[in-house]
Amino acid sequence: MKPSANHADDTRSGIGAGTPNSAAFSGNNVSSQYRGKGPRLMWRLFFYLAVFTAVILVILWLFQVVFLDSIYKLIKISDIRVCAERLTDLIASDNIEELESRSLELAHSRELCVLILRMTDKDTAIEVVSVDTQLGCVIHNTDKASKFTLYDSAVANGGSLTQRFRFDSRTRSYYSTSDGIMAETTDDRESIVYTLLAKDGAGQDYLVMLNSVITPVSATVRTLNTQLIIISGLLLALSLLMALIISRTISRPLERLNASARLLAGGAFDTRFSADGCREINELADTLNYAAVELGRVDDLRRELIANISHDLRTPLTMIEGYGEVMRDLPGENTPDNVQIIIDEAKRLTSLVNDILDISKLQSGNQELVLSQVNITAALSDMLGRYSRLISEGYTIRFDYDREVTLETDESRFIAVVYNLVNNAVTYTGADKLVAVTQTVSDNAVRISVTDTGEGIPPDKLENIWDRYYKVDKVHRRASVGTGLGLSIVKSTMDMLGGTYGVITSPGSGSTFWIELPYWG
Ligand code: ADP
């Protein structure tokens, strides 16, 4: 970073400006640990959907096959009871005409047999409604006496009675199962007789009897089973189709991102990731785009650094070699001035190497602070005294301070920071070659400001100047201008010292770089 007035060959060597396929980012090194491993998204989705389908089918099978009989019976029985109650309501309201038509309608719509008797006295009854829709109906095929027995049983049972019968296909008749007489039947068909007592407006007793088969028709059961098989097939095919569609919508964008990521890994940092999937995939594309931009930036900086360093190394080396050869071949050139040039150039090399070492140490966190009580005012004036050679070249380096300040810090790190700022100021100051260093004490800090009268820094570049390897002017202004590491060293060191730093600049009228250390003097 040490400035000098030397002008040397400014051509770039081009080292490091080669193809982006350099070793650090080589796509050939991309790990293939997971490549081609794990099930395809489609099969995984299909598996989940198939499990889902299987659960639905089991539920359907339970309802349609296993519990069909009991559910059907429950529904049928409650249906019969509701119908009987509706009919008794009509009786109670003396609406006999409506009673007939409603009985007919219910009998056909609910597959019931209806028989309603008006009980005139103990042994006689008049048939009011009779609808016989079922073959072998229990209530229409019983004798008169049984009906009176049924009436008596209903009275004894509190006004209603439910009786179950089972069909015997050999005798083609129903046997009661309610009173324990279970016929040896070859048929599953079960029938129910629901008896309900009612009274009309005049208090006349009625016997309402409803009969219905409560076993599902075997054809219905077979239909349901066949349907279940067809539905199973359809649902499985549908799951496969859904898995295919969903996996396509998810995996296509992922495959595209993967292809772009491979290009990026291969060193194509201008690769951009297109986001046209769902939100998560879009966010991933955003992150990858950000990573690509950052990688590109780092790669640019890296190449620039190598170009700069090689240039900066070559310039002093060329000078040393040139002056050395001249002094060897021409004894008259062996002057103290020429020897001084060789020494200066060697110092520049040392300072460059030191900068690079410093920044790598700071970045790796290996730098230990050596703290002691330091009179920073004296240290600053001592350091600025070393610029006497520049003063002879027409530079003015002013140092103003309000009072002497002693605080606990790492002296060499602190001086290195100010040294970097002063070197920059010397490099960038205006034609008046003026650099002002000021030390001011405030309530809880001491501030050192380094002001130059140069061009200042454009506002859009301000944010980046503290970055490693960043240079506002990509082209070297003077052969001595540094590597873009100086301010990054300032930043990292101030963070370590627990201080703050910043810059006040206005384009055209110079910049003031400042650092502050905590101080309660
Ligand atoms: P360099 O070694 O190139 O000076 P620095 O990290 O010290 O690197 O500075 C980064 C960049 O900030 C410089 O390249 C320069 O563009 C800008 N800069 C630093 N100090 C000044 C200054 N006093 N005036 C104008 N620009 C400056």
Side-chain angles (χ1 to χ4, degrees):
M1 297 281 296
K2 187 174 177 185
S4 92
N6 288 324
H7 292 264
D9 170 26
D10 206 15
T11 50
R12 305 258 165 130
S13 67
I15 299 175
T19 59
N21 264 327
S22 53
F25 297 107
S26 170
N28 302 331
N29 297 338
V30 176
S31 160
S32 59
Q33 195 186 350
Y34 298 113
R35 203 154 181 222
K37 303 216 171 115
R40 286 189 69 106
L41 182 65
M42 193 197 101
W43 292 119
R44 185 161 280 199
L45 276 172
F46 175 61
F47 172 74
Y48 292 139
L49 284 171
V51 170
F52 176 72
T53 308
V55 172
I56 300 266
L57 287 176
V58 167
I59 294 171
L60 268 178
W61 175 74
L62 284 176
F63 275 85
Q64 290 205 346
V65 178
V66 180
F67 300 124
L68 175 70
D69 207 45
S70 349
I71 294 170
Y72 187 81
K73 275 179 190 166
L74 273 175
I75 294 172
K76 254 322 214 192
I77 291 170
S78 86
D79 217 24
I80 290 173
R81 286 185 178 154
V82 170
C83 291
E85 268 152 31
R86 276 196 208 154
L87 296 178
T88 53
D89 286 348
L90 289 172
I91 295 169
S93 58
D94 289 330
N95 203 341
I96 300 302
E97 253 179 48
E98 173 76 20
L99 180 69
E100 278 173 16
S101 63
R102 182 57 68 84
S103 301
L104 207 63
E105 179 204 317
L106 287 175
H108 284 107
S109 65
R110 312 284 169 102
E111 290 171 349
L112 300 167
C113 284
V114 182
L115 187 61
I116 303 176
L117 304 178
R118 189 189 307 131
M119 311 304 287
T120 46
D121 68 38
K122 213 163 80 49
D123 301 317
T124 48
I126 298 169
E127 202 175 86
V128 182
V129 175
S130 170
V131 190
D132 186 3
T133 59
Q134 314 273 307
L135 256 179
C137 162
V138 181
I139 48 177
H140 283 94
N141 291 310
T142 47
D143 53 14
K144 234 172 151 189
S146 304
K147 285 168 189 148
F148 282 103
T149 319
L150 205 58
Y151 175 74
D152 292 340
S153 307
V155 171
N157 200 45
S160 68
L161 189 66
T162 309
Q163 281 185 306
R164 287 170 180 241
F165 294 86
R166 206 168 266 281
F167 185 76
D168 184 355
S169 51
R170 282 171 304 183
T171 56
R172 302 195 59 76
S173 54
Y174 282 94
Y175 286 85
S176 167
T177 57
S178 305
D179 42 11
I181 317 160
M182 179 72 191
E184 276 186 22
T185 153
T186 51
D187 204 317
D188 272 350
R189 246 184 300 162
E190 205 179 349
S191 176
I192 183 176
V193 171
Y194 184 63
T195 311
L196 194 62
L197 300 182
K199 278 189 194 301
D200 64 9
Q204 184 71 55
D205 283 330
Y206 281 76
L207 180 63
V208 178
M209 288 174 285
L210 269 66
N211 174 225
S212 174
V213 174
I214 56 167
T215 312
V217 183
S218 59
T220 313
V221 176
R222 273 200 308 279
T223 311
L224 287 175
N225 284 344
T226 316
Q227 273 180 3
L228 198 63
I229 292 166
I230 295 169
I231 289 174
S232 307
L234 277 177
L235 279 180
L236 277 177
L238 214 66
S239 314
L240 198 63
L241 192 74
M242 293 259 292
L244 202 77
I245 293 169
I246 298 174
S247 73
R248 285 229 163 152
T249 45
I250 295 175
S251 67
R252 277 272 165 87
L254 280 178
E255 275 163 17
R256 264 201 302 276
L257 289 184
N258 193 22
S260 304
R262 292 193 155 272
L263 289 177
L264 179 67
F269 299 115
D270 54 350
T271 306
R272 291 296 172 265
F273 297 82
S274 61
D276 55 357
C278 46
R279 190 195 298 179
E280 288 80 358
I281 293 174
N282 293 347
E283 282 173 8
L284 175 64
D286 268 353
T287 311
L288 287 170
N289 276 331
Y290 176 71
V293 170
E294 286 299 301
L295 277 175
R297 212 165 71 95
V298 169
D299 192 50
D300 284 349
L301 289 173
R302 183 181 61 87
R303 279 192 272 150
E304 212 169 276
L305 170 82
I306 294 173
N308 288 350
I309 290 182
S310 58
H311 168 87
D312 289 343
L313 285 176
R314 216 166 47 148
T315 309
L317 285 173
T318 314
M319 298 278 280
I320 291 170
E321 195 185 332
Y323 275 86
E325 277 173 4
V326 167
M327 284 160 67
R328 182 196 61 199
D329 299 340
L330 306 169
E333 288 297 320
N334 205 340
T335 61
D337 276 356
N338 285 350
V339 174
Q340 188 59 46
I341 289 173
I342 291 177
I343 293 170
D344 285 348
E345 292 305 318
K347 277 186 183 162
R348 277 182 55 200
L349 280 177
T350 313
S351 108
L352 175 67
V353 171
N354 283 344
D355 265 7
I356 296 170
L357 284 179
D358 273 0
I359 196 77
S360 63
K361 271 195 221 156
L362 284 167
Q363 298 289 321
S364 64
N366 284 338
Q367 191 83 338
E368 296 260 317
L369 286 179
V370 184
L371 296 176
S372 62
Q373 287 297 323
V374 183
N375 180 335
I376 60 163
T377 318
L380 282 173
S381 85
D382 187 42
M383 181 210 103
L384 293 173
R386 284 184 243 146
Y387 283 89
S388 53
R389 204 176 135 248
L390 283 176
I391 291 165
S392 66
E393 286 176 19
Y395 283 90
T396 312
I397 299 180
R398 253 184 22 222
F399 180 42
D400 298 313
Y401 60 94
D402 41 7
R403 62 186 162 98
E404 286 202 18
V405 169
T406 303
L407 48 75
E408 190 182 47
T409 190
D410 182 323
E411 183 171 359
S412 65
R413 297 274 95 228
F414 168 74
I415 288 299
V417 165
V418 185
Y419 195 67
N420 273 311
L421 297 181
V422 174
N423 277 350
N424 279 348
V426 168
T427 307
Y428 295 103
T429 195
D432 57 4
K433 296 187 169 182
L434 186 70
V435 173
V437 180
T438 326
Q439 176 214 285
T440 44
V441 177
S442 65
D443 281 351
N444 50 14
V446 54
R447 174 185 279 230
I448 290 102
S449 311
V450 180
T451 307
D452 65 66
T453 56
E455 290 166 10
I457 302 161
D460 58 316
K461 304 286 181 346
L462 269 182
E463 204 186 311
N464 298 324
I465 56 168
W466 307 95
D467 289 350
R468 256 191 303 171
Y469 313 134
Y470 185 83
K471 285 161 161 272
V472 174
D473 248 344
K474 301 286 176 191
V475 181
H476 280 223
R477 306 174 62 172
R478 301 179 194 174
S480 59
V481 174
T483 51
L485 292 174
L487 290 182
S488 174
I489 292 175
V490 170
K491 173 181 160 181
S492 309
T493 312
M494 287 314 290
D495 287 342
M496 275 180 83
L497 294 178
T500 49
Y501 53 88
V503 58
I504 304 157
T505 180
S506 52
S509 57
S511 323
T512 299
F513 279 83
W514 59 265
I515 56 165
E516 262 183 16
L517 284 173
Y519 177 66
W520 292 270

